[in-house]
């Protein structure tokens, strides 16, 4: 029988296009039904293309189609056995079996009637499947209106048909693509077809749009907390404001309230968090325990920027006892700062107030109220010489030292100081493709006004100090490259020798206190710095050469396969070597002379990475620091990392630790992770973390167990061993029906972030 074709002009259906979503996970068996619907090519807007075996025209306004009817419009495709179209009233009536497809669903039913003028469609005895996200079900009646699906006496699940672990059956289910949420009325949650829970009303997400409601709970158990549960409630206050309120119950400690408020305006973005525990059952001598955190960045105008980062806690052991998302439980100090920056055409000015709260049984540090620094971003030029001026004005206070004036007389009580530092600089820079040369001449002028008890162990700190020091720096490098076949065919090797000369005359600075100065890292890149300390309370004498070189090997695809950097400082006289006393006072570390530093990376296979670094005192014949890391990154989230780190002197203690991370997919559904760290110096384990994840197409769970050492800020790490150390052991469990508030996909590697030592992936140029 010949096919009959017709073209009728009608108003089209109005439906919004859904946001793009991630591809269906491999664990959900993809089938031809999951293909995205596409309109018939070439079909005009507000028109229908109808194909049928037979057509009967009724008058001039209606038509009856029968036999393999296919109706296409720009917004849907309908197949049926018969269809009646009334052009005057804008009605469509079809009989089945019927298949309806649009850009968000595929529906089969026994019958369909639609009001084309009102853009509404009703299907009876319908089975549906969502195509923009996981979801399917059935309904006695299914109504499509604008961007909504309304199911009456229907069901919803994200499970495949042959493995329906859970489903929701309700008198009414409303799925709104525009709002991004589903609503159910009179719902029953069934697990393996067994009624488990009756819920009169609840909502759940069907895309990434936000809505107020409870998030997936978190359940765990540990020696410290006992049974622990978290039940977050998300409050979508406005498009640019939201909050999360989380009651946290710990059977050994009590009930804690955790809150986070986020905001985004035209000028500001940030968050404010408050954690509060009225009574700690494990610490009955303590009062209320709390944490406050405020973080904000602001663009006040084209020239002004602002930043706030403040964390405050009720007691020193809050983080070690209760943990928090806003600070690490191993932190030994809290950093608080407020910064206002002006960006001018030639100058940048920073106005900063900052404070460090040292945790544990230690004297508090100095606060800067304020610290005004300025630096010249656009130099004055004369005869190819750049002239700049940088400087700062700082006022430091330490009220705890002021109160302790009658305490230990061996500790200086400089409780207040004002510092003015100005550093004009002349710089000549020549750069070429093959080589570059830099010469700098600076004059460092610093003035101090110090108040307090100015005597410490026989040393006298002066009330007024004027210090003037010149600094000369000469730096040059040459760039070589050649073809190479080592490690790779048609590769490229580069070699960059570097040479620096640095001179700063010796000057007695024992009459100056220490306010914001600390020792900088002595790695390879640190060898070529022009200073040894972060602040200007001590300016290290120098009369030294630094010699170093870096070589790299690249593939013909510009992937870095190997690099090696080595360098060493050579002092021209014994008097030019760093002062051991100054280094010890500032950083509680020794003074290392003839410092050698090296770093290397080998990427000999696309899955394997080896990186290492070392710092060595060639005069004292001892290692200062070293680290080595071996990484394997396979397909399908496979990873293994083994690492070793050593430090000869950290606050008077030697540290040597070895660690391991692993993440291994067992099969398509199961994933295993583990990490282990051991302190070789004290011969004790530090942390053991292991986890297992199962993920199917419609549900998932994660279970992790840990055993980690408890931090005691008031106890030295020396003298502890496996028998005397205190450990916390626990287990944590997460479960979610996918599509009911949990994320549709899981990253098992994120479980490795729960430990004290977080996994960090290696970073190289080819990443």
């Amino acid at each position: 029988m010949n096919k009959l074709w017709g073209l009728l002009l009608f108003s089209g259906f109005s439906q919004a296009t859904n946001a793009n979503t991630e591809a269906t996970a491999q664990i959900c068996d993809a089938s031809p039904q999951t293909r995205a619907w596409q309109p018939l090519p070439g079909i005009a807007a507000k028109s229908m293309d109808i194909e049928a075996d037979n057509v009967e025209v009724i008058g001039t306004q209606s038509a009856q189609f029968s036999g393999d009817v296919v109706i296409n419009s720009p917004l849907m495709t309908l197949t049926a056995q018969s269809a009646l179209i009334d052009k005057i009233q804008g009605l469509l009536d079809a009989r089945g079996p019927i298949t309806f497809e649009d850009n968000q669903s595929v529906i089969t039913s026994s019958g369909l009637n639609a009001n084309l003028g009102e853009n509404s469609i009703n299907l009876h005895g319908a089975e549906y499947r969502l195509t923009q996200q996981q979801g399917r079900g059935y309904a006695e009646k299914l109504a499509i209106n604008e961007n909504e699906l309304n199911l009456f006496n229907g069901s919803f699940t994200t499970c495949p048909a042959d493995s329906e672990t859970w489903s929701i059956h309700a008198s009414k289910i409303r799925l709104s693509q525009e709002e991004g949420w589903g609503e159910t009325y009179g719902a029953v949650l069934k697990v393996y077809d067994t009624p488990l829970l009756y819920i009169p009303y609840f909502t759940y997400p069907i895309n990434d749009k936000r809505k107020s409601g409870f998030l997936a709970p978190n359940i765990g158990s540990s020696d410290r907390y006992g049974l622990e549960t978290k039940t977050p409630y998300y409050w979508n206050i406005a498009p640019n404001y939201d909050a999360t309120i989380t009651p946290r119950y710990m059977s050994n400690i009590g009930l804690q309230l955790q809150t986070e408020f986020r905001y985004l305006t035209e000028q500001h973005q940030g968050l404010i968090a408050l954690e509060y525990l009225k009574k700690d059952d494990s610490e009955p001598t303590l009062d209320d325990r709390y944490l406050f955190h405020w973080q904000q960045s602001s663009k006040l105008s084209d020239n002004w920027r602002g930043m706030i980062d403040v964390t405050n806690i009720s007691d020193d052991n809050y983080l070690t006892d209760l943990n928090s998302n806003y600070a690490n439980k191993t932190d030994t100090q809290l950093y608080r700062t407020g910064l206002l920056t002006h960006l001018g055409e030639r100058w940048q000015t920073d106005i900063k107030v900052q404070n460090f709260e040292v945790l544990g049984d230690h004297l508090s540090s100095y606060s800067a109220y304020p610290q005004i620094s300025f630096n010249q971003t656009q130099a004055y030029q004369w005869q190819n010489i750049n002239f700049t001026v940088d400087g700062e004005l700082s006022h430091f206070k330490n009220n705890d030292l002021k109160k302790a004036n009658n305490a230990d007389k061996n500790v200086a009580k400089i409780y207040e100081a004002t510092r003015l530092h100005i550093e004009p600089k002349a710089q000549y820079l020549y750069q070429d493709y093959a080589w570059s040369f830099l010469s700098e001449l600076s004059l460092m002028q610093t003035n101090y006004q110090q108040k307090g008890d100015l005597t410490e162990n026989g040393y006298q700190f002066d009330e007024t100090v004027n210090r003037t020091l010149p600094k000369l720096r000469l730096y040059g490098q040459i760039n070589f490259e050649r073809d190479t076949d080592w490690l790779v065919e048609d590769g490229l090797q580069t070699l960059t020798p570097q040479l620096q000369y640095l001179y700063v005359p010796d000057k007695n600075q024992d009459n100056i206190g220490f306010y914001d100065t600390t020792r900088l890292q002595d790695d390879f890149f640190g060898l070529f710095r022009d200073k040894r300390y972060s602040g200007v309370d001590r300016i290290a004498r120098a009369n030294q050469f630094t010699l170093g070189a870096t070589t790299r090997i690249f593939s013909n695809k510009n992937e870095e396969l190997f690099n090696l950097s080595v360098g060493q400082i050579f002092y021209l006289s014994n008097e030019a070597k760093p002062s051991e006393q100054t280094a010890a006072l500032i950083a509680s570390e020794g003074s290392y002379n003839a410092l050698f530093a090296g770093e290397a990376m080998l990427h000999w296979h696309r899955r394997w990475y080896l990186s290492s670094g070392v710092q060595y005192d060639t005069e004292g014949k001892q290692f200062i620091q070293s680290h080595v890391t071996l990484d394997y990154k396979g397909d399908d989230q496979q990873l293994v990392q083994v690492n070793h780190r050593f430090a000869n002197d950290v606050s008077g203690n030697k540290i040597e630790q070895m660690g391991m991370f692993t993440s291994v997919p067992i099969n398509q559904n199961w994933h295993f992770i583990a990490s282990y760290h051991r302190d070789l110096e004290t011969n004790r384990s530090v942390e053991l973390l292991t986890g297992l994840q199962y993920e199917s197409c419609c549900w998932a769970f994660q279970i992790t167990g840990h055993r980690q050492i408890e931090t005691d800020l008031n106890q030295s790490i020396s003298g502890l061993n496996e028998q005397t150390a205190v450990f916390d052991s626990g287990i944590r469990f997460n479960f979610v029906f996918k599509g009911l508030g949990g994320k549709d996909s899981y990253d098992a590697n994120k479980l490795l972030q729960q430990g004290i030592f977080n996994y960090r992936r290696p970073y190289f140029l080819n990443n």
Side-chain angles (χ1 to χ4, degrees):
M1 182 178 295
N2 294 329
K3 296 285 183 179
L4 299 177
W5 294 80
L7 182 63
L8 301 179
L9 298 179
F10 288 101
S11 297
F13 298 107
S14 173
Q15 296 188 4
T17 303
N18 294 326
N20 292 329
T21 58
E22 296 181 357
T24 304
Q26 292 183 358
I27 57 174
C28 299
D29 184 25
S31 68
Q33 293 179 332
T34 61
R35 71 186 188 280
W37 173 83
Q38 296 291 335
L40 186 69
I43 190 169
K46 297 184 179 181
S47 66
M48 282 188 176
D49 184 273
I50 304 175
E51 176 186 350
D53 291 336
N54 301 287
V55 60
E56 180 182 354
V57 178
I58 305 173
T60 60
Q61 305 299 332
S62 301
Q64 175 75 49
F65 299 89
S66 61
D68 295 334
V69 180
V70 179
I71 303 176
N72 283 285
S73 81
L75 298 174
M76 67 92 181
T77 296
L78 175 68
T79 62
Q81 284 301 307
S82 65
L84 174 64
I85 296 179
D86 187 332
K87 185 177 179 181
I88 294 297
Q89 300 185 45
L91 300 178
L92 168 64
D93 185 83
R95 292 292 177 262
I98 289 174
T99 301
F100 174 90
E101 295 182 78
D102 64 6
N103 62 355
Q104 59 181 308
S105 61
V106 177
I107 304 170
T108 60
S109 72
S110 58
L112 174 148
N113 57 75
N115 188 321
L116 304 179
E118 297 179 359
N119 299 318
S120 64
I121 302 174
N122 295 316
L123 298 104
H124 306 280
E127 294 187 4
Y128 71 94
R129 186 181 66 260
L130 304 179
T131 56
Q132 296 294 323
Q133 62 275 327
Q134 288 296 113
R136 65 173 189 85
Y138 74 91
E140 291 183 5
K141 178 183 176 183
L142 188 151
I144 302 175
N145 186 10
E146 295 291 340
N147 300 310
E148 287 187 10
L149 291 179
N150 288 278
L151 315 178
F152 299 91
N153 294 328
S155 70
F156 174 81
T157 183
T158 60
C159 300
D162 58 350
S163 180
E164 189 170 299
T165 304
W166 67 271
S167 61
I168 295 174
H169 298 254
S171 59
K172 181 181 178 181
I173 300 176
R174 173 178 170 267
L175 306 176
S176 173
Q177 289 292 329
E178 183 176 358
E179 297 177 6
W181 284 80
E183 292 180 309
T184 65
Y185 300 85
V188 176
L189 175 63
K190 291 186 178 182
V191 177
Y192 290 111
D193 207 31
T194 300
L196 188 67
L197 181 67
Y198 172 75
I199 310 174
Y201 172 81
F202 80 100
T203 64
Y204 53 92
I206 59 175
N207 57 30
D208 58 357
K209 291 187 177 180
R210 306 180 306 170
K211 187 175 182 180
S212 301
F214 285 99
L215 305 179
N218 189 292
I219 302 174
S221 177
S222 66
D223 295 338
R224 177 186 289 276
Y225 303 130
L227 176 64
E228 179 185 4
T229 62
K230 292 183 180 180
T231 309
Y233 180 81
Y234 176 76
W235 183 12
N236 185 29
I237 304 172
N240 59 329
Y241 299 99
D242 65 10
T244 304
I245 304 170
T246 306
R248 178 192 185 190
Y249 172 74
M250 299 162 284
S251 60
N252 291 348
I253 294 179
L255 180 63
Q256 181 189 34
L257 182 64
Q258 300 176 334
T259 61
E260 179 185 271
F261 171 70
R262 299 188 303 175
Y263 55 93
L264 175 64
T265 67
E266 197 171 306
Q267 292 182 308
H268 313 284
Q269 65 175 2
L271 67 86
I272 299 174
L274 178 63
E275 300 176 355
Y276 180 75
L277 178 65
K278 175 65 177 177
K279 179 183 178 184
D280 189 337
D281 295 336
S282 65
E283 299 287 348
T285 59
L286 293 178
D287 296 327
D288 300 355
R289 309 190 74 179
Y290 63 84
L291 175 144
F292 173 78
H293 177 74
W294 181 18
Q295 183 177 345
Q296 177 178 297
S297 59
S298 304
K299 182 181 179 181
L300 305 176
S301 67
D302 292 340
N303 301 104
W304 289 93
R305 303 289 188 271
M307 186 272 289
I308 296 173
D309 192 347
V310 175
T311 302
N312 191 33
I313 56 178
S314 58
D315 55 274
D316 287 350
N317 285 318
Y318 179 93
L319 297 176
T320 59
D321 289 350
L322 298 174
N323 211 347
S324 176
N325 293 328
Y326 309 103
N328 195 292
K329 66 188 303 181
T330 58
D331 287 346
T332 57
Q333 63 184 25
L334 298 179
Y335 178 60
R336 306 158 178 160
T337 183
L339 176 65
L340 183 63
T341 299
H342 179 264
L343 305 173
E345 294 183 1
R346 191 177 292 271
W347 298 88
Q348 175 176 323
T349 304
D350 294 324
I351 305 173
K352 180 189 296 184
V353 292
Q354 62 179 350
N355 166 262
F356 293 89
E357 180 180 354
V358 181
L359 306 180
D361 188 15
H362 305 284
L363 290 174
S364 63
S365 62
Y366 286 93
S367 302
Y369 301 120
Q371 187 171 55
I372 304 173
S373 61
F374 56 91
N375 61 83
Q376 194 169 341
T377 57
Q378 183 176 344
Y380 295 103
Q381 291 186 337
W382 178 79
Q383 298 294 323
N384 294 325
I385 300 176
N386 295 327
F387 294 92
T388 59
V389 178
D390 298 337
E392 63 154 85
L393 174 63
S394 303
H395 185 71
F396 301 100
K397 278 188 177 182
N398 191 327
N399 292 326
D400 288 346
L401 286 177
K402 186 174 183 179
K403 297 175 183 177
N405 248 347
N406 296 322
D408 187 359
K409 295 299 182 181
N410 291 323
V411 180
K413 308 301 188 303
I414 305 177
Y415 56 81
E416 190 171 355
T418 300
R419 182 181 71 199
L420 174 63
H421 179 79
I422 298 177
E423 186 173 339
K425 180 188 299 182
Q427 180 188 84
Y428 173 78
L429 173 63
Y430 179 84
Q431 286 182 308
D432 192 69
Y433 177 78
W435 65 284
S436 64
F437 173 75
L438 171 68
S439 63
E440 293 179 338
L441 179 62
S442 306
L443 184 65
M444 299 173 287
Q445 172 64 41
T446 315
N447 300 87
Y448 287 87
Q449 293 292 329
Q450 303 175 121
K451 296 181 181 180
D453 186 348
L454 304 178
T455 302
E456 177 184 5
N457 293 331
Y459 289 92
Q460 183 68 35
F461 294 89
D462 295 337
E463 183 174 348
T464 300
V465 178
N466 295 314
R467 181 190 63 193
T468 304
L469 284 171
K471 177 171 64 178
L472 173 65
R473 181 189 182 214
L474 304 175
Y475 172 82
Q477 69 172 35
I478 304 177
N479 306 315
F480 299 100
E481 65 178 44
R482 67 171 186 174
D483 297 331
T484 183
D485 292 328
W486 188 64
L487 285 181
V488 64
E489 294 183 0
D490 299 326
L492 177 70
Q493 181 181 11
T494 65
L495 176 65
T496 308
Q498 303 173 68
L499 178 64
Q500 175 178 281
Y501 173 73
L502 182 65
Y503 175 77
V504 177
D506 185 21
K507 190 176 186 66
N508 190 334
Q509 303 171 52
D510 294 337
N511 56 350
I512 301 173
F514 303 101
Y515 306 107
D516 64 349
T517 299
T518 187
R519 179 83 169 267
L520 294 173
Q521 178 70 19
D522 291 323
D523 55 11
F524 170 78
F525 301 99
L527 298 179
F528 293 92
R529 277 194 294 259
D530 61 350
K531 58 183 179 180
R532 179 176 287 261
Y533 305 111
S534 62
V536 297
D537 296 326
R538 289 296 183 273
I539 298 176
R541 60 193 176 191
N543 187 13
Q544 64 196 49
F545 279 101
T546 303
L547 180 62
T550 298
T551 182
R552 304 178 188 272
I553 293 180
F554 298 89
S555 70
N556 53 16
K557 296 181 180 179
N558 205 32
E559 293 178 328
E560 185 180 24
L561 305 179
F562 172 78
N563 68 53
L564 173 65
S565 301
V566 293
Q568 183 172 333
I569 295 177
F570 299 92
Y571 296 95
L572 300 184
S573 64
N574 289 331
E575 291 76 14
K577 295 178 180 179
S579 167
E580 184 172 351
Q581 179 186 16
T582 300
L585 284 172
I586 293 180
S588 300
E589 297 177 354
S591 176
Y592 303 107
N593 301 324
L595 180 65
F596 170 86
E599 295 187 2
M601 183 278 290
L602 178 61
H603 179 34
W604 72 95
H605 185 275
R606 68 185 183 90
R607 301 185 187 277
W608 288 93
Y609 302 84
L610 177 66
S611 60
S612 62
V614 64
Q615 300 166 34
Y616 183 73
D617 183 4
T618 58
E619 186 175 282
K621 308 298 182 184
Q622 61 175 328
F623 284 96
I624 304 170
Q625 292 185 21
S626 67
H627 71 270
V628 60
T629 302
L630 177 64
D631 285 273
Y632 172 82
K633 298 198 299 182
D635 293 334
D636 195 24
Q637 296 185 326
Q638 295 177 353
L639 69 88
V640 177
Q641 183 186 96
V642 180
N643 56 69
H644 177 274
R645 51 192 161 206
F646 169 81
N648 186 54
D649 191 351
V650 178
S651 299
N653 298 282
K654 182 183 293 186
I655 293 178
E656 184 176 7
Q657 295 177 341
M658 192 165 187
M660 179 273 296
F661 296 99
T662 183
S663 173
V664 180
I666 301 173
N667 56 35
Q668 197 175 45
N669 301 102
W670 291 90
H671 202 115
F672 171 78
I673 65 100
S675 68
Y676 177 75
H677 291 83
R678 186 169 187 84
D679 192 325
L680 303 180
E681 184 66 23
T682 57
N683 192 30
R684 67 164 186 247
S685 62
V686 180
E687 179 185 47
L688 171 64
L689 174 69
T690 184
L692 192 65
Q693 172 180 292
Y694 174 82
E695 181 181 7
S696 71
C697 190
C698 57
W699 65 282
F701 79 85
Q702 295 175 338
I703 183 171
T704 58
H706 72 268
R707 182 178 184 267
Q708 54 191 213
I709 194 169
E710 293 188 2
T711 304
D712 188 345
L713 296 173
N714 298 318
Q715 187 173 10
S716 171
I717 65 172
S718 61
L720 289 177
N721 53 44
E722 187 74 23
Q723 287 71 39
T724 59
V726 178
F727 287 82
D728 176 43
S729 300
I731 189 170
R732 187 171 296 278
F733 183 76
N734 291 326
F735 181 88
V736 64
F737 290 125
K738 296 173 68 175
L740 293 182
K743 290 185 291 186
D744 289 340
S745 62
Y746 276 67
D747 182 2
N749 294 334
K750 290 184 178 179
L751 295 175
L752 295 176
Q753 305 300 319
Q754 296 181 9
I756 298 176
F757 301 96
N758 294 338
Y759 168 76
R760 293 173 176 84
R761 72 182 185 93
Y763 174 77
F764 304 109
L765 292 181
N766 58 309
N767 279 9

